[in-house]
């Protein structure tokens, strides 16, 4: 049985993993739709879009790993906590806004 202190943390982990799975499913659906419509599409555009989606899928996988190892929500650039609002919008993000801007 979980202690009262771990139950909320377990719930947050579960919610985070659900959000990440939803993001993954959404991206896979987009990828499948583009692949199905490939004969009717601009090849260069489809290639660029599928490449971008595959990169996001890798970021989602990396975020799942961070959940598993306990580093999810910590900026990989400066070790600061990533604001919850940012994680709600982009649950797979690995950087705080400041470090993301510096990475660009």
């Amino acid at each position: 049985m979980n202690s009262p202190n771990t139950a909320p943390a377990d719930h947050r982990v579960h919610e985070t993993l659900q959000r990440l799975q939803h993001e993954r499913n959404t991206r896979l659906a987009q990828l499948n739709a583009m692949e199905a419509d490939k004969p009717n599409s601009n090849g260069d555009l489809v290639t660029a879009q599928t490449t971008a989606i595959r990169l996001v899928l890798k970021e989602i996988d990396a975020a799942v790993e961070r959940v598993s190892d306990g580093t999810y929500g910590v900026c990989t650039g400066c070790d600061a906590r990533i604001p919850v609002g940012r994680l709600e919008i982009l649950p797979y993000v690995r950087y705080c806004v400041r470090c993301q801007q510096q990475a660009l």
Side-chain angles (χ1 to χ4, degrees):
M1 184 169 166
N2 289 334
S3 71
N5 292 337
T6 61
D10 290 344
H11 181 69
R12 281 191 299 273
V13 167
H14 179 72
E15 283 182 350
T16 298
L17 290 172
Q18 280 186 318
R19 269 197 312 272
L20 290 167
Q21 187 61 44
H22 174 74
E23 289 288 333
R24 170 178 268 293
N25 291 342
T26 299
R27 296 311 186 276
L28 288 172
Q30 290 172 332
L31 198 56
N32 290 336
M34 282 192 277
E35 292 290 332
D37 197 38
K38 204 174 209 175
N40 302 323
S41 300
N42 176 324
D44 292 337
L45 179 60
V46 170
T47 299
Q49 289 174 327
T50 57
T51 298
I53 291 171
R54 289 182 202 290
L55 288 172
V56 170
L57 287 168
K58 286 181 184 180
E59 290 296 324
I60 292 168
D61 290 343
V64 170
E65 288 296 318
R66 290 192 301 276
V67 170
S68 297
D69 69 21
T71 61
Y72 181 81
V74 177
C75 176
T76 58
C78 68
D79 292 328
R81 297 288 311 162
I82 298 171
V84 172
R86 180 164 170 75
L87 291 169
E88 286 176 356
I89 294 168
L90 294 169
Y92 50 86
V93 72
R94 65 176 65 218
Y95 297 109
C96 67
V97 172
R98 186 181 59 132
C99 289
Q100 182 71 51
Q101 290 171 340
Q102 291 174 355
L104 297 176

